[in-house]
């Protein structure tokens, strides 16, 4: 009896070991598959955002690598649902609108976001001139609450990172928020949070100043 | 004429997709004429070639013969089909010119107008609104949705923001290139209510294949209800602004007085 019991124990522990091994292998392969899926899906994005995810100004495409996974997924969901990028005057957004349809499920969005973040963030070439970072620092006090003192954003507040992003893109988005081209859809709750903030920037010079300050945060 | 000819045609395209524009029948008849004539010659020639291959196959005791094709009888083998094909060409060219004239040259005066702007990779439609004039405050702008009234003559003005696109509405049998820097006008008259596809039919970039939109053809009552529900409030605010301006002017006049 004793021997039988020990055999049973041996077999059951062996079974647990096999099950655990299978679980680990399945987990590892699913992670690998998700990575591959992300890489595969990102091929559709490379034409505009570049293979390194740094964005291509000529295609009106921003850098993606400094953004968080959560923010990328949320934006993809918005584009797919037509909450963002469906305004008639949003030329760049309208380009992104059909591309988001290539993400069939939320897992696809998660996989591509995870792949983008894995590409690693790096500074991009400045293009705007005439911004005063000292004046911009004072204006940035308003942005600080959500985007943080270092401009790295806050996922809990749905605020994206602003560092290592193209300055022309910042200017474009601020103008879009201010004119209602972005963030005016009633379903765009986080966009609606940003809209009144953009109203505080009286003119283009103020926008350029704050963008010039944001540039210093990335250095 | 095309309606009459249509009675004798197989209606190849219509069996695949309904006709929703006044001139779709002309395109369909032309398509049928071309398909029948070209198909007839295609199968005839194919059959004749197979017959020759079989008839003059390699056999014992038969030697190949070189024919220079100089005798009148030999030349007839080419001449007769040649003239018959020319007759068929004329039978295709005449309705082609008629269809081209009816659709492209003889443009009827429009009841309504719509501006269509193509870009990578979306369609923006500017509906003229209740005043039926484009470029006014009551224009209704929609992305990837064109709303039109059944049995109404429309004129469209097609533009492109970036590269070449093609405004293709299969149920209308309509395909028109959009060329950057140009405004291309055309016309259509919807005759069938429903919701149909619009697609881009000119390679325009990575998302060309999913650059689709929908066309909504509604009855007059339904279309008017849509107009009323979607007319932007700006015209009201515009009126309000004018009223307020007048009031402030009145105030100023009063103060000055």
């Amino acid at each position: 009896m004793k021997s039988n019991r020990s055999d049973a124990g041996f077999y059951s522990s062996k079974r647990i070991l096999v099950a655990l091994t299978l679980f680990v292998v399945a987990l590892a392969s699913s992670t690998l598959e998700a990575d591959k899926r992300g890489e595969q899906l990102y091929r559709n994005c490379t034409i505009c955002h570049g293979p390194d995810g740094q964005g291509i100004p000529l295609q009106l495409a921003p850098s993606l690598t400094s953004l968080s996974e959560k923010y990328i997924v949320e934006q993809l969901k918005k584009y797919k649902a037509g909450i963002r990028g469906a305004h008639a005057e949003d030329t760049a957004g309208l380009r992104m609108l059909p591309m988001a349809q290539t993400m069939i499920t939320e897992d696809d969005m998660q996989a591509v976001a995870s792949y983008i973040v894995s590409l690693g963030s790096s500074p991009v070439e400045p293009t705007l001139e005439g911004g005063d970072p000292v004046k911009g620092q004072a204006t940035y006090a308003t942005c600080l609450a959500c985007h943080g003192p270092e401009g790295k954003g806050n996922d809990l507040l749905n605020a994206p990172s602003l560092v290592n992003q193209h300055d022309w893109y910042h200017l474009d988005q601020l103008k879009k928020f201010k004119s209602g081209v972005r963030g005016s859809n009633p379903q765009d709750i986080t966009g609606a949070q940003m809209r009144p903030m953009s109203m505080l920037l009286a003119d283009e010079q103020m926008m350029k100043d704050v963008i010039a300050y944001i540039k210093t945060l990335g250095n | 004429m095309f309606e009459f000819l249509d009675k004798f045609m197989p209606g190849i395209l219509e069996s695949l997709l309904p006709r929703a524009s006044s001139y779709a029948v002309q395109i369909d008849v032309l398509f049928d004429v071309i398909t029948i004539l070209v198909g007839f010659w295609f199968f005839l020639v194919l059959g004749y070639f197979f017959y020759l291959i079989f008839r003059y196959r390699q056999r014992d005791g038969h030697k190949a013969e070189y024919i220079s094709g100089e005798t009148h009888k030999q030349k007839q083998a080419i001449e007769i089909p040649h003239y018959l094909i020319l007759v068929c060409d004329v039978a295709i060219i005449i309705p082609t010119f008629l269809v081209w004239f009816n659709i492209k040259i003889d443009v009827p005066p429009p009841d309504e107008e719509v501006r269509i702007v193509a870009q990578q990779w979306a369609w923006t439609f500017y509906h003229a609104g209740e005043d039926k004039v484009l470029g006014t405050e009551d224009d209704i702008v929609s992305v990837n949705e064109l709303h039109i009234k059944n049995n109404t003559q429309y004129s469209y003005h097609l533009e492109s923001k970036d590269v070449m696109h093609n405004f293709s509405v299969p149920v209308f049998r309509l395909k028109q290139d959009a060329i950057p820097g140009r405004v291309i006008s055309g016309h259509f008259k919807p005759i069938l209510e429903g919701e149909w596809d619009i697609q881009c039919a000119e390679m325009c970039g990575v998302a060309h294949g999913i650059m689709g939109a929908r066309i909504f053809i509604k009855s007059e009552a339904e279309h008017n209800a849509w107009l009323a529900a979607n007319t932007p409030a700006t015209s009201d605010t515009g009126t309000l602004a004018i009223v307020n301006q007048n009031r402030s002017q009145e105030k100023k006049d009063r103060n000055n007085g």
Side-chain angles (χ1 to χ4, degrees), chain A residues 17-33:
Chain A
L17 199 70
V18 170
L20 265 175
T21 315
L22 282 173
F23 176 72
V24 169
V25 168
L27 197 72
S29 66
S30 71
T31 319
L32 270 174
E33 234 165 63

Side-chain angles (χ1 to χ4, degrees), chain A residues 4 39 44 57-58 63-64 71 85 128 135 149 153 170 179 197 200:
Chain A
N4 283 346
E39 189 180 352
N44 287 332
L58 268 176
S63 169
L64 302 173
Y71 184 77
L128 292 181
K135 284 183 187 168
H170 279 317
S179 63
M197 298 296 128
L200 299 173

Side-chain angles (χ1 to χ4, degrees), chain A residues 94-145:
Chain A
L94 285 170
R95 281 186 178 183
M96 186 58 206
L97 194 70
M99 296 310 293
Q101 308 300 325
T102 59
M103 310 285 155
I104 310 293
T105 63
E106 202 173 319
D107 286 346
D108 285 349
M109 296 179 189
Q110 196 63 53
V112 82
S114 150
Y115 177 73
I116 290 166
V117 171
S118 77
L119 292 171
S121 173
S122 55
V124 287
E125 280 294 307
T127 57
L128 292 181
E129 286 174 2
D132 182 350
V134 180
K135 284 183 187 168
Q137 186 173 11
T139 314
Y140 188 76
T142 320
C143 324
L144 198 136

Side-chain angles (χ1 to χ4, degrees), chain A residues 19-86:
Chain A
L20 265 175
T21 315
L22 282 173
F23 176 72
V24 169
V25 168
L27 197 72
S29 66
S30 71
T31 319
L32 270 174
E33 234 165 63
D35 283 351
K36 271 188 194 166
R37 178 88 182 129
E39 189 180 352
Q40 191 184 25
L41 283 165
Y42 186 74
R43 281 181 200 152
N44 287 332
C45 321
T46 53
I47 291 159
C48 294
H49 292 284
D52 52 2
Q54 293 287 64
I56 301 173
L58 268 176
Q59 304 280 14
L60 310 172
S63 169
L64 302 173
T65 49
S66 62
L67 302 172
S68 70
E69 272 187 47
K70 187 192 171 202
Y71 184 77
I72 295 171
V73 171
E74 287 304 315
Q75 297 309 303
L76 282 171
K77 278 187 197 167
K78 280 189 190 179
Y79 275 116
K80 196 173 178 189
I83 297 169
R84 187 181 167 187

Side-chain angles (χ1 to χ4, degrees), chain B residues 202-219:
Chain B
E202 179 67 55
M203 278 294 288
C204 62
V206 65
H208 159 70
I210 47 175
M211 185 179 160
R214 298 291 276 171
I215 187 166
F216 298 86
I217 307 172
K218 296 175 195 152
S219 66

Side-chain angles (χ1 to χ4, degrees), chain A residues 44 47-48 86-91 94-95 97-99 101-102, chain B residues 119-122 124 126 141-144 161-162 206-207 210-211:
Chain A
N44 287 332
I47 291 159
C48 294
H87 195 284
E89 287 163 41
D90 192 355
T91 306
L94 285 170
R95 281 186 178 183
L97 194 70
M99 296 310 293
Q101 308 300 325
T102 59
Chain B
Q119 72 146 86
Q120 287 175 323
W121 295 279
T124 306
Y126 295 79
V141 186
S142 64
V143 172
N144 292 338
K161 273 189 190 174
D162 36 44
V206 65
I210 47 175
M211 185 179 160

Side-chain angles (χ1 to χ4, degrees), chain B residues 57 64 90 102 104 123-124 159 196 255:
Chain B
R57 66 192 184 279
V90 173
N102 291 341
K104 292 282 185 184
W123 299 95
T124 306
E159 299 163 39
W196 314 103
N255 288 343

Side-chain angles (χ1 to χ4, degrees), chain B:
Chain B
M1 175 194 152
F2 286 96
E3 279 77 11
F4 174 75
L5 281 174
D6 188 41
K7 290 174 187 167
F8 307 99
M9 293 294 160
I12 301 166
L13 286 181
E14 201 190 10
S15 65
L16 301 168
L17 203 61
R19 296 168 184 162
S21 77
S22 56
Y23 50 64
V25 62
Q26 301 184 28
I27 302 282
D28 280 11
V29 167
L30 191 61
F31 185 89
D32 284 345
V33 166
I34 294 170
T35 309
I36 290 166
L37 291 178
V38 173
F40 168 77
W41 284 106
F42 175 73
F43 287 110
L44 188 75
V45 169
L46 210 63
Y48 187 57
F49 278 160
F50 278 118
Y51 164 74
L52 293 180
I53 289 167
F54 177 77
R55 173 78 177 78
Y56 297 104
R57 66 192 184 279
Q58 190 194 15
R59 280 171 296 170
D60 290 336
H62 287 262
K63 274 185 81 178
E65 188 185 346
Y66 177 74
I67 298 168
S68 62
E70 281 169 32
T71 65
H72 182 63
K73 205 180 172 187
Q74 286 169 349
K75 278 183 189 169
Q76 273 184 334
I78 301 297
E79 279 170 0
I80 294 169
H82 182 206
Y83 290 128
L84 286 172
I85 285 171
L86 279 180
V87 170
C88 291
D89 276 350
V90 173
I92 289 172
I93 286 167
I94 291 171
T96 304
F97 275 123
L98 283 172
V99 170
W100 181 266
F101 177 80
N102 291 341
I103 296 175
K104 292 282 185 184
I105 312 291
D106 186 22
V107 179
D111 302 320
E112 298 263 358
E113 283 185 291
V114 63
R115 180 175 164 226
I116 304 165
V117 179
Q119 72 146 86
Q120 287 175 323
W121 295 279
W123 299 95
T124 306
F125 300 100
Y126 295 79
H127 306 78
E130 281 166 347
D131 66 356
K132 298 186 178 181
V133 181
L134 279 172
T136 53
E137 277 186 343
D138 76 336
D139 282 5
I140 301 170
V141 186
S142 64
V143 172
N144 292 338
E145 277 188 14
L146 173 59
H147 294 260
I148 53 172
K149 192 162 59 179
N150 199 15
N151 291 316
T152 306
Q153 185 63 53
Y154 275 85
S155 170
Y156 67 83
H157 309 288
L158 182 61
E159 299 163 39
S160 169
K161 273 189 190 174
D162 36 44
V163 297
M164 273 183 72
H165 298 275
N166 186 297
F167 179 64
S168 163
V169 188
V171 286
F172 281 3
R173 314 292 191 261
L174 167 64
K175 269 186 181 178
Q176 177 58 59
D177 272 349
I179 300 164
R182 283 182 62 183
V183 180
I184 297 170
S185 296
H187 71 100
F188 54 74
K189 184 181 179 183
I191 56 162
L192 183 67
E193 285 176 29
E195 186 187 332
W196 314 103
D197 280 330
I198 293 171
Q199 60 194 17
C200 180
E202 179 67 55
M203 278 294 288
C204 62
V206 65
H208 159 70
I210 47 175
M211 185 179 160
R214 298 291 276 171
I215 187 166
F216 298 86
I217 307 172
K218 296 175 195 152
S219 66
E220 190 170 358
E222 281 175 325
H223 184 75
N224 289 342
W226 178 83
L227 275 182
N230 290 281
T231 299
T234 46
S235 55
D236 291 336
T237 50
T239 320
L240 274 176
I242 292 163
V243 171
N244 289 337
Q245 256 181 7
N246 291 343
R247 275 188 197 148
S248 59
Q249 190 63 41
E250 275 173 22
K251 227 176 192 178
K252 211 186 262 177
D253 292 345
R254 231 180 283 151
N255 288 343
N256 289 340

